């Protein structure tokens, strides 16, 4: 089947991890994936979908198009798929006007109702989509990483233990809300440092920060050079839609992970198995202290996390989910046609 994906940008993190990563393995299974940027102007969108006669399906990724554009694309696409990994019907955690956005909500409903198949990044997103279409049209495919691209942390003894956080300027705003707890970690554990892999950086009182400019070609090695991965998100509807990419990156590199139990976090990080969940400042300090003091435990939990990625969140696992979803879509279409 020829698949045509319409995306914000091929370099966008969502596209790289949720589509580009699957291009080669899908091709091995007989599916050809073309990726094109969505036109930005209304004039250019008038031609959206033209020339797709030979495409078996069109994938729209994340973008909530105007309803007239969705209707136009629906008429021109043989089959229509929506892939999303955020609570796109809401404003984000940092919006001054709150989460609810009627315009986004209506566009989301129109997109979901128009699609033959909806690919949701987690169960929270799938449940929202299920309000507007039948369950047989929805498949959960987590964001996936390729473990082979990540060196495994050696957890070598060094003069100082190092936490690591990776993300973008937008998600760094969440970490800003967490600085009080990070400061307490810095005061409680002598020599502890935090590596920030990002394009912007924070000053955190009482905690030394190692600024590491994000680069795609060095990201994996920089993560693996640390000791403990951390992730914290606000406890709100937007965060419950997040798909935990940074956690998967830490685990692919063999790091134990500490998170707060929001959204997918407790699904990916199991207490005492792949890391620890923590809510209060005291729990965070205790979790970091335990891992810093026990390199063997760091190794055990980190390797358990990597095995979890290989089994559930690898490109191989995601490819099989995609193939199953495409087969289901084709089967449902055939049943409806014959019926």
């Amino acid at each position: 089947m020829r698949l045509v994906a319409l995306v914000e940008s091929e370099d966008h993190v969502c596209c790289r991890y949720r589509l580009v990563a699957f291009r080669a393995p899908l091709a091995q299974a007989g599916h050809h994936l073309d990726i094109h940027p969505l036109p930005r102007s209304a004039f250019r969108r008038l031609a959206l979908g033209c020339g797709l006669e030979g495409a078996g399906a069109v994938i729209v990724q994340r973008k909530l198009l105007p309803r007239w554009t969705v209707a136009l694309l629906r008429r021109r696409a043989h089959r229509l798929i929506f892939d999303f990994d955020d609570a796109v019907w809401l404003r984000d955690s940092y919006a001054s006007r709150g989460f609810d956005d009627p315009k986004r909500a209506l566009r989301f409903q129109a997109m979901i109702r128009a699609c033959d198949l909806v690919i949701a990044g987690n169960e929270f997103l799938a449940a929202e989509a299920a309000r507007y279409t039948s369950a047989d049209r929805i498949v959960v495919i987590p964001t996936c990483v390729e473990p082979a691209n990540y060196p495994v942390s050696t957890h070598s003894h060094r003069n100082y233990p190092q936490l690591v956080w990776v993300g973008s300027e937008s998600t760094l705003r969440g970490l800003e809300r967490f600085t009080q707890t990070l400061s307490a970690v810095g005061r409680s554990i002598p020599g502890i440092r935090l590596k920030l892999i990002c394009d912007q950086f924070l000053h955190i009182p009482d905690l030394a920060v190692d600024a590491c400019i994000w680069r795609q070609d060095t990201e994996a090695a920089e993560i693996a050079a640390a000791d403990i991965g951390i992730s914290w998100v606000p406890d709100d509807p937007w965060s419950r839609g997040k798909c935990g990419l940074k956690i998967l990156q830490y685990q692919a590199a063999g790091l134990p992970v500490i998170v707060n139990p929001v959204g997918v976090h407790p699904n990916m990080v199991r207490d005492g198995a792949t890391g620890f969940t923590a809510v209060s400042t005291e729990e965070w300090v205790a979790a970091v202290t335990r891992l810093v003091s026990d390199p063997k435990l760091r190794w055990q939990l980190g390797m358990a996390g990597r095995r979890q990625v290989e089994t559930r969140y690898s490109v191989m696992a995601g490819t099989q989910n995609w193939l199953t979803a495409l087969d289901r879509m084709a089967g449902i279409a055939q049943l409806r046609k014959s019926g």
Side-chain angles (χ1 to χ4, degrees), residues 167-318:
S168 63
E169 180 182 1
S170 61
T171 53
L172 191 66
R173 288 180 293 175
L175 204 64
E176 289 177 338
R177 298 184 180 183
F178 192 51
T179 54
Q180 184 174 352
T181 293
L182 291 173
S183 293
V185 170
R187 290 191 298 271
S188 302
I189 303 172
I192 190 79
R193 303 179 73 89
L194 171 63
K195 177 190 285 189
L196 291 182
I197 305 174
C198 193
D199 49 0
Q200 297 290 329
F201 303 98
L202 294 177
H203 168 71
I204 302 175
D206 302 315
L207 178 62
V209 172
D210 298 322
C212 180
I213 295 290
W214 181 89
R215 285 174 44 194
Q216 188 173 344
D217 60 336
T218 60
E219 177 186 40
E222 291 290 355
I223 291 172
D227 299 299
I228 302 162
I230 64 168
S231 182
W232 184 92
V233 295
D235 189 358
D236 60 36
W238 174 261
S239 297
R240 286 191 280 278
K242 304 300 287 183
C243 291
L245 172 60
K246 58 173 55 67
I247 297 174
L248 301 178
Q249 292 179 284
Y250 304 149
Q251 292 180 334
L255 297 184
V257 186
I258 307 174
V259 300
N260 62 329
V262 173
V264 299
H265 280 185
N267 298 331
M268 294 177 171
V269 179
R270 292 168 289 121
D271 274 308
T274 58
F276 296 104
T277 58
V279 177
S280 67
T281 295
E282 292 74 19
E283 289 172 345
W284 272 88
V285 170
V288 175
T289 299
R290 183 174 178 186
L291 289 173
V292 163
S293 63
D294 194 340
K296 183 178 179 181
L297 180 62
R298 293 203 302 269
W299 171 263
Q300 291 174 341
L301 300 188
M303 293 310 295
R306 184 176 169 93
R307 289 191 295 271
Q308 175 177 270
V309 169
E310 291 170 342
T311 302
R312 297 175 55 190
Y313 302 104
S314 66
V315 170
M316 181 182 297

Side-chain angles (χ1 to χ4, degrees), residues 9 45 66-67 77 80 98 127 132 148 174 190 210 218 226 232 243 270 337 339:
S9 164
R45 284 181 180 170
R67 282 177 285 177
L80 191 58
Y132 310 110
D210 298 322
T218 60
W232 184 92
C243 291
R270 292 168 289 121
K337 183 177 179 180

Side-chain angles (χ1 to χ4, degrees), residues 77-141:
H78 180 54
R79 296 189 185 102
L80 191 58
I81 301 172
F82 185 57
D83 172 61
F84 69 121
D85 64 343
D86 273 320
V88 292
W89 66 93
L90 300 172
R91 299 189 186 99
D92 68 28
S93 302
Y94 319 105
S96 59
R97 292 181 292 169
F99 296 105
D100 292 336
D101 185 328
K103 180 179 177 181
R104 293 187 192 192
L106 288 173
R107 286 188 174 188
F108 179 76
Q109 294 170 30
M111 178 63 76
I112 298 301
R113 286 174 172 145
C115 285
D116 300 284
L117 179 66
V118 176
I119 305 293
N122 63 43
E123 295 290 350
F124 175 78
L125 301 177
E128 184 65 21
R131 296 175 61 191
Y132 310 110
T133 192
S134 58
D136 62 354
R137 294 190 181 201
I138 303 171
V139 176
V140 174
I141 301 182

